[in-house]
């Protein structure tokens, strides 16, 4: 007599998941296709489930022995002619082992024209994160960068990805990366403010008023630029610099060694370039939305993760005069997944 | 951080933002908020041009408020996600135009068909049914079925009784305005329950007629009640209906537009109440799935500080309650909310579910204020509550306080502690619950079929 399906329905954590399973509704997906990482976001109950994969690969010569080793160690790879293409998270380990740099299927936010394996690798990485659509026409929103003066490259990049997603059964819509950050982080501000995504290949910026984008631009500097520049002056592989950077770089403290000194210098350069570009784009905007409230800036992306990045950005911002009021700068709740979560909101909006 | 002076109200910028902000502030779902903002912007674009020409700031504000519009100084593309494929706009326009053409043609055909169908196939009215009073022995609660307070008066004539005016494929229409959509109705296990009589323990009589009504909230998605969300509102209700019907969760569901759906047939049990306790007139009911109708409002309770249902839901809830009470002779004291009855038997705490633990408009339903009635689970069975309960409600409803005072008086009169009294009463609950569970299991196993058939009170009395 005490049957109470409701106990397991509305008022428990798993309720929404069960609901989704039971009614079999389509599950929209948000995908951040970044130069450095690919991140997927799906709704799971009341929350959002995110998964990420390194967007990198390294080819090694084919041999049956190597293939067996890769298979036994559960390493993602596929065979292409006389090479084995190792991709995803394991890439860094192998780059270290072979003392070489990792390679990227994407560069400067779009498919890397210098890599013939670009789309093949990207497809393999996406397949690992994204199952085929359960029902034809499920909505998938994927991030694309703002491309100042490079619209043909963006058109090719967006079109190639869209076709691939459609082959998996999705209806794909593209969303600007900066706007996605606004969607995920500025809900309380009615999606009004500035979203900045500092990724591996570039930094994307969007200013939106009540969710409508007014300004979108990008700079082709990002985490990879920092790694490569620091690596070049230190005579080190970029991926090793990246490892050092991710091991706990603190931009609020004085650098301890030459590595940190180089990273500080290139981080400062990146932030200066970013703030200058922000000021330039705001100044030349013909029709800025008018608001009596100052705008919030949200910083996201893996490159914004080091401690002290926000303070560095704020310091640089204070030294320049912007044509709009800024109420404050804050970090995204989870900088690495902000774009994917925003894309998910866009997908749900499109549903 | 920089020194530009804020935009003045004279340009309307602040007014727009405030108008939009004040409306969208109440929307907690980011997707709903996004849809609201973007559609408001589109709808308001034309109106905004005129509103901005109004010289009075106060009047402008009022207009913005009324319209909930926001104007932009530049053309907006509602589909804009910062990047859009170039071929979509044209095909989208063509699709839109073709849809309009198809819709117009379908409308013409539809109107003609409906007119013909109505003349030729109007369902015949069936005679009085709901108004026929049932014998009082059908359910234990009928014995205490006092008339209760009158329904608060609304202007206009009211029928002398509730009767079935007509029914047809998928609907029933009643004389008090109640219209029940029956297209989702499913049968469930036949209703069967026993009650605990005052001083006598688990009664022998087995009942098949409902004794009470338990009001719920569905705690499902709630979309803004605005025309631009019509699709979301309809989709949400339909998904909910399919789910509650498949799982036989309530007898009735009232959607946001006040439409009343029968989910589980009235003669069946629904899985709506779980572990729950209610008592009236010396009879105690444990686990109310069988004895009570489950009536759910499609909404989120959200603490009950504001009435979480629409005017249409309130009106339909009243007519449905009136119909059920009249048809089954349900006493006003037996109409209560899930939050007031829900318990956790393991922890001996009340408020396992809290829907309508505050804020149900009993008076508007012509019912006594059950929040003031001594709470049976506390008074009779010594249940307590925890921090989470207080976090939601701040303080228990008055009936809990009244029950606690009873426990304190009992403890004082016996020279023992309140905790001791609570423990004894919790033990009593555990024993009674075990008896009931045993009876349920025996019923399921079919062991008592023969004996039960002799005891069950059927609708014939």
């Amino acid at each position: 007599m005490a049957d109470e399906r409701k106990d397991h329905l509305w008022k428990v954590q798993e309720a929404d998941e069960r609901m989704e399973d039971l009614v079999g509704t389509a599950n929209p997906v948000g995908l951040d296709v970044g130069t450095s990482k690919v991140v997927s976001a799906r709704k799971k109950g009341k929350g959002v489930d995110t998964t990420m994969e390194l967007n990198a690969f390294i080819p090694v010569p084919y041999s049956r022995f190597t293939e067996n080793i890769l298979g036994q160690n559960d390493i993602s790879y596929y065979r292409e002619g006389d090479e084995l293409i190792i991709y995803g998270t394991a890439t860094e380990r192998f780059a270290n082992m072979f003392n070489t740099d990792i390679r990227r299927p994407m560069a400067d936010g779009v498919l890397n024209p210098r890599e013939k394996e670009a789309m093949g690798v990207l497809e393999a990485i996406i397949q690992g994160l994204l199952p085929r659509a359960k029902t034809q026409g499920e909505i998938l929103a994927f991030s694309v960068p703002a491309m100042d003066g490079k619209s043909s490259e963006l058109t090719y990049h967006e079109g190639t990805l869209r076709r691939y997603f459609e082959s998996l059964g999705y209806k794909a819509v593209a969303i600007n990366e900066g706007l996605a950050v606004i969607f995920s982080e500025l809900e309380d501000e009615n999606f009004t403010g500035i979203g900045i995504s500092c990724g591996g290949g570039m930094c994307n910026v969007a200013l939106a008023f009540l969710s409508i984008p007014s300004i979108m631009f990008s700079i082709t500097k990002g985490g990879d630029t920092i790694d490569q520049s620091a690596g070049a002056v230190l005579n080190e592989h970029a991926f090793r610099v990246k490892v050092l950077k991710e091991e706990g770089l603190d931009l609020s403290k004085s650098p301890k060694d030459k590595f940190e000194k180089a990273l500080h210098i290139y981080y400062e350069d990146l932030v200066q370039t970013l703030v200058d570009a922000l000021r330039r784009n705001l100044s030349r905007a013909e029709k800025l939305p008018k608001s009596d409230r100052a705008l919030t800036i949200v910083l996201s992306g893996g490159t914004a993760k080091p401690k002290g990045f926000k303070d560095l950005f704020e310091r640089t911002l204070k030294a320049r005069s912007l044509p709009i009021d800024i109420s404050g700068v804050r970090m995204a709740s989870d900088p690495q997944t902000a774009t994917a979560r925003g894309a998910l909101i866009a997908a749900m909006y499109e549903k | 951080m920089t020194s530009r002076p804020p935009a003045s109200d004279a340009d309307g910028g602040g007014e727009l933002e405030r108008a939009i902000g004040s409306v969208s502030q109440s929307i907690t779902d980011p997707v709903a908020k996004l849809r609201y903002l973007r559609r408001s912007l589109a709808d308001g674009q034309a109106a905004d041009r005129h509103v901005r020409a109004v010289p009075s700031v106060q009047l402008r504000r009022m207009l913005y408020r009324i319209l909930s519009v926001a104007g932009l100084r530049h053309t907006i593309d509602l589909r804009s996600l910062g990047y859009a494929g170039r071929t979509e706009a044209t095909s989208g326009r063509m699709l839109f135009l073709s849809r309009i053409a198809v819709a117009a043609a379908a409308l013409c055909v539809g109107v003609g068909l409906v007119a013909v169908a109505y003349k030729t196939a109007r369902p015949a009215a069936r005679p009085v049914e709901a108004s026929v009073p049932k014998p009082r022995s059908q359910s234990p609660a009928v014995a205490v079925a006092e008339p209760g307070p009158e329904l608060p008066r609304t202007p206009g004539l009211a029928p002398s009784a509730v009767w079935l005016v007509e029914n047809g494929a998928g609907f029933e229409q009643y004389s008090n305005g109640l219209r029940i959509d029956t297209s989702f109705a499913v049968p469930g296990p036949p209703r069967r329950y026993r009650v605990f009589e005052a001083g006598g323990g688990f009664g022998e009589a087995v009942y098949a007629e409902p004794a009470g009504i338990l009001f719920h909230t569905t705690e499902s998605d709630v979309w803004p009640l605005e025309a631009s969300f019509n699709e979301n509102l309809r989709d949400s209700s339909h998904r909910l209906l399919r789910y509650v019907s498949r799982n036989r969760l309530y007898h009735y569901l009232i959607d946001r537009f006040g439409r009343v759906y029968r989910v589980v047939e009235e003669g069946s049990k629904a899985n709506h109440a779980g572990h729950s306790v209610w008592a009236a007139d010396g009879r105690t009911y444990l686990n109310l799935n069988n004895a009570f109708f489950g009536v759910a409002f499609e909404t989120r309770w959200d603490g009950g500080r504001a009435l979480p249902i629409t005017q249409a839901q309130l009106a339909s809830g009243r007519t449905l309650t009136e119909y059920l009470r009249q048809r089954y002779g349900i006493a006003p004291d037996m109409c209560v909310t899930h939050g007031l009855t829900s318990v956790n038997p393991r922890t001996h705490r009340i408020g396992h579910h809290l829907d309508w633990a505050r804020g149900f408009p009993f008076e508007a339903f012509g019912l006594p204020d059950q929040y003031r009635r001594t709470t049976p689970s506390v008074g009779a069975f010594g249940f307590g509550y925890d921090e989470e309960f207080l976090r939601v409600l701040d303080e228990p409803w008055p009936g809990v306080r009244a029950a606690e005072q009873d426990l304190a008086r009992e403890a004082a009169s016996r020279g023992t502690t309140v905790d001791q009294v609570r423990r004894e009463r919790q033990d009593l609950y555990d024993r009674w619950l075990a008896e009931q569970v045993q009876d349920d299991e025996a019923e399921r196993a079919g062991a008592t079929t023969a004996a039960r058939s002799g005891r069950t009170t059927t609708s014939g009395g």
Side-chain angles (χ1 to χ4, degrees):
Chain A
M1 193 180 269
D3 286 352
E4 190 184 27
R5 305 254 171 99
K6 199 174 174 184
D7 259 341
H8 309 290
L9 176 64
W10 311 117
K11 291 156 191 175
V12 292
Q13 208 170 3
E14 308 83 29
D16 281 7
E17 286 168 48
R18 289 172 58 85
M19 183 78 173
E20 283 158 14
D21 289 346
L22 283 159
V23 300
T25 52
N27 194 0
V29 190
L31 201 67
D32 173 13
V33 188
T35 307
S36 173
K37 285 192 170 71
V38 181
V39 187
S40 71
R42 276 175 183 271
K43 204 160 184 295
K44 189 174 185 184
K46 295 277 180 204
V48 173
D49 189 34
T50 57
T51 320
M52 68 177 73
E53 182 64 283
L54 192 69
N55 196 3
F57 71 102
I58 187 167
V60 296
Y62 171 78
S63 77
R64 190 173 288 179
F65 176 75
T66 310
E67 187 168 22
N68 284 343
I69 294 290
L70 295 178
Q72 284 163 12
N73 289 281
D74 207 19
I75 287 164
S76 304
Y77 75 97
Y78 65 90
R79 185 176 171 182
E80 183 66 38
D82 56 358
E83 286 185 323
L84 293 170
I85 310 290
I86 297 165
Y87 61 89
T89 311
T91 307
E92 282 180 340
R93 189 146 42 102
F94 276 82
N96 205 14
M97 199 185 299
F98 292 105
N99 195 29
T100 182
D101 258 333
I102 57 173
R103 285 161 61 180
R104 297 268 194 217
M106 285 172 58
D108 298 339
V110 292
L111 282 167
N112 190 344
R114 295 180 297 280
E115 289 287 2
K116 69 178 173 68
E117 286 302 323
M119 196 55 205
V121 173
L122 194 54
E123 282 180 7
I125 288 169
I126 289 170
Q127 267 175 26
L129 296 172
L130 194 67
R132 286 190 71 84
K134 277 185 197 166
T135 53
Q136 188 70 24
E138 273 183 40
I139 307 288
L140 178 146
F142 64 102
S143 66
V144 291
M147 296 292 275
D148 304 325
K150 288 185 180 175
S151 61
S152 62
E153 288 174 29
L154 178 58
T155 302
Y156 175 75
H157 171 82
E158 187 269 340
T160 309
L161 285 177
R162 186 190 294 275
R163 284 181 186 201
Y164 175 61
F165 295 134
E166 283 168 358
S167 76
L168 294 177
Y170 291 95
K171 182 189 169 195
V173 292
I175 176 171
N176 172 270
E177 200 172 318
L179 186 62
V181 175
I182 291 170
F183 282 5
S184 66
E185 297 294 326
L186 289 175
E187 186 201 335
D188 289 344
E189 287 83 0
N190 284 332
F191 306 111
T192 298
I194 298 174
I196 299 179
S197 169
C198 298
M202 59 204 313
C203 294
N204 272 277
V205 183
L207 185 155
F209 182 71
L210 299 172
S211 85
I212 308 298
S214 289
I215 295 174
M216 289 175 293
F217 68 91
S218 61
I219 60 166
T220 51
K221 277 185 182 176
D224 286 354
T225 323
I226 293 173
D227 302 342
Q228 283 156 12
S229 306
V233 296
L234 297 168
N235 196 27
E236 267 294 354
H237 283 298
F239 81 87
R240 288 207 175 146
V241 178
K242 182 173 182 287
V243 170
L244 283 168
K245 187 178 77 179
E246 290 175 351
E247 271 178 359
L249 174 68
D250 189 345
L251 295 167
S252 61
K253 290 182 181 164
S254 299
K256 293 194 296 271
D257 52 36
K258 61 176 184 177
F259 283 98
E260 287 196 0
K261 190 177 170 191
L263 286 169
H264 276 242
I265 287 168
Y266 288 112
Y267 254 106
E268 282 166 15
D269 175 61
L270 180 136
V271 171
Q272 277 172 16
T273 310
L274 181 59
V275 172
D276 284 341
L278 178 61
R279 189 181 57 160
R280 197 168 49 250
N281 278 276
L282 289 172
S283 302
R284 72 183 180 200
E286 286 175 12
K287 290 178 177 175
L288 272 180
K290 291 186 178 176
S291 167
D292 61 352
R293 281 192 200 161
L295 301 180
T296 302
I297 294 179
V298 179
L299 301 171
S300 71
T303 301
K305 271 187 79 180
K307 205 174 168 190
F309 183 86
K310 182 176 86 84
D311 296 338
L312 173 62
F313 187 91
E314 279 180 323
R315 278 201 309 276
T316 315
L317 195 65
K318 270 182 188 166
R320 285 154 177 79
S321 163
L322 295 187
I324 56 167
D325 292 330
I326 302 297
S327 60
V329 179
R330 69 165 194 251
M331 292 299 298
S333 52
D334 181 0
Q336 285 199 301
T337 62
T339 301
R341 287 184 285 113
L344 175 62
I345 290 174
M348 290 163 76
Y349 166 77
E350 290 284 329
K351 190 172 150 186
Chain B
M1 293 180 78
T2 52
S3 59
R4 191 185 73 94
S8 71
D9 271 357
D11 65 7
E15 288 169 290
L16 293 175
E17 196 178 344
R18 276 194 293 277
I20 280 281
S22 62
V23 177
S24 64
Q25 208 64 46
S26 60
I27 305 173
T28 53
D29 180 86
V31 180
K33 183 179 273 192
L34 191 56
R35 287 204 175 117
Y36 172 78
L37 287 172
R38 291 190 157 210
R39 287 180 189 172
S40 297
L41 290 169
D43 295 344
Q45 212 170 8
D48 182 40
R49 276 196 290 275
H50 303 293
V51 175
R52 272 195 288 141
V54 174
S56 160
V57 172
Q58 281 77 16
L59 188 55
R60 265 207 319 271
R61 274 191 193 143
M62 193 181 75
L63 287 170
Y64 278 130
R65 191 88 182 140
I66 292 166
L67 294 168
S68 290
V69 301
L72 286 180
R73 275 92 186 126
H74 51 278
T75 306
I76 59 162
D77 174 5
L78 287 185
R79 306 302 292 181
S80 172
L81 295 174
Y83 185 85
R86 290 199 172 83
T87 56
E88 285 178 359
T90 314
S91 60
R93 262 198 305 277
M94 290 306 292
L95 185 62
F96 179 63
L97 288 172
S98 65
R99 277 181 181 170
I100 287 179
V102 171
L107 189 65
C108 293
V109 174
V111 167
L113 285 175
V114 167
V116 173
Y118 181 72
K119 282 187 177 175
T120 55
R122 186 172 60 181
R126 277 178 51 182
V128 175
E129 189 174 275
S131 62
V132 177
K134 299 281 174 147
R136 290 194 156 229
S137 57
Q138 283 176 349
S139 79
V142 172
V144 293
E146 299 301 324
E150 288 284 311
L151 267 181
R153 284 180 177 276
T154 47
L157 287 174
S160 56
V162 183
W163 70 88
L164 182 67
V165 176
E166 66 178 348
N167 66 354
F171 81 95
E172 289 171 5
Q173 177 67 52
Y174 289 88
S175 60
N176 65 345
L178 172 68
R179 185 183 176 90
I180 299 174
D181 186 317
T182 57
S183 51
F184 287 85
V186 291
R191 174 178 291 105
R192 173 201 177 272
Y193 64 96
R194 292 161 64 187
V195 299
F196 293 87
E197 306 284 352
F202 205 21
E204 282 296 307
V206 179
Y207 300 96
E209 291 296 310
I213 303 171
L214 205 58
F215 298 103
H216 300 256
T217 58
T218 57
E219 298 303 300
S220 50
D221 285 343
V222 174
W223 296 88
L225 202 64
E226 300 197 13
S228 56
F229 286 93
N230 194 51
E231 253 182 71
N232 302 106
L233 285 157
R234 283 192 321 160
D235 286 354
S236 192
S237 297
H238 282 161
R239 280 205 305 272
L240 178 66
L241 260 169
R242 285 201 301 272
Y243 186 79
V244 298
S245 171
R246 189 183 305 159
N247 290 286
R248 294 174 172 80
L249 294 181
Y250 309 109
H251 292 92
Y252 285 99
L253 175 75
I254 304 175
D255 80 0
R256 304 251 294 148
F257 298 117
R259 290 178 295 190
V260 178
Y261 295 91
R262 182 173 293 144
V263 179
V264 173
E265 299 289 359
E266 288 178 357
S268 305
K269 155 199 164 186
N271 301 312
H272 62 100
H275 289 293
S276 40
V277 176
W278 194 246
D281 196 41
R283 293 186 174 91
T284 300
Y285 303 79
L286 299 189
N287 302 347
L288 312 178
N289 280 342
N290 275 288
F292 282 62
F293 279 124
V295 171
F297 294 88
E298 184 191 5
T299 188
R300 283 178 188 263
W301 173 64
D302 274 345
R305 292 183 194 284
L307 188 64
I309 54 174
T310 64
Q311 287 178 0
Q313 283 178 305
L314 179 64
S316 298
R318 282 164 49 118
T319 54
L320 176 62
T321 304
E322 189 184 17
Y323 152 74
L324 290 172
R325 283 195 54 209
Q326 186 177 314
R327 177 164 187 185
Y328 293 99
I330 293 169
D333 281 347
M334 294 295 286
C335 300
V336 64
T337 67
H338 190 208
L340 286 176
T341 64
S342 178
V343 297
N344 184 333
R346 193 174 51 80
T347 59
H348 295 112
R349 283 177 180 152
I350 59 171
H352 184 59
H353 291 300
L354 284 167
D355 47 334
W356 292 121
R358 172 166 53 201
F360 186 82
F362 283 112
E363 195 185 351
F365 278 69
L367 298 169
D369 184 353
Q370 304 286 30
Y371 297 114
R372 303 206 162 273
R373 185 184 174 83
T374 302
T375 306
S377 50
V378 180
F381 298 125
F383 277 57
Y385 45 86
D386 57 13
E387 286 299 312
E388 177 61 18
F389 178 90
L390 292 175
R391 189 186 65 73
V392 176
L393 287 174
D394 292 335
E395 60 175 295
W397 56 85
V400 175
R401 292 286 186 229
E404 285 175 333
Q405 284 166 10
D406 287 351
L407 293 175
R409 274 195 290 273
E410 164 84 8
S413 70
R414 286 171 43 195
T416 183
T417 63
V418 174
D419 279 351
Q420 179 57 32
V421 175
R422 278 187 189 274
R423 273 197 295 277
E424 289 168 10
R425 297 191 177 192
Q426 288 170 6
D427 288 345
L428 175 68
Y429 170 81
D430 291 346
R431 284 200 304 277
W432 281 14
L433 182 64
E435 274 186 69
Q436 183 160 311
V437 168
Q438 201 173 11
D439 184 58
D440 287 345
E441 282 169 359
E443 158 70 13
R444 281 196 199 106
T448 57
T449 307
R452 191 177 64 251
S453 63
R455 287 193 316 233
T456 301
T457 307
T458 60
S459 57

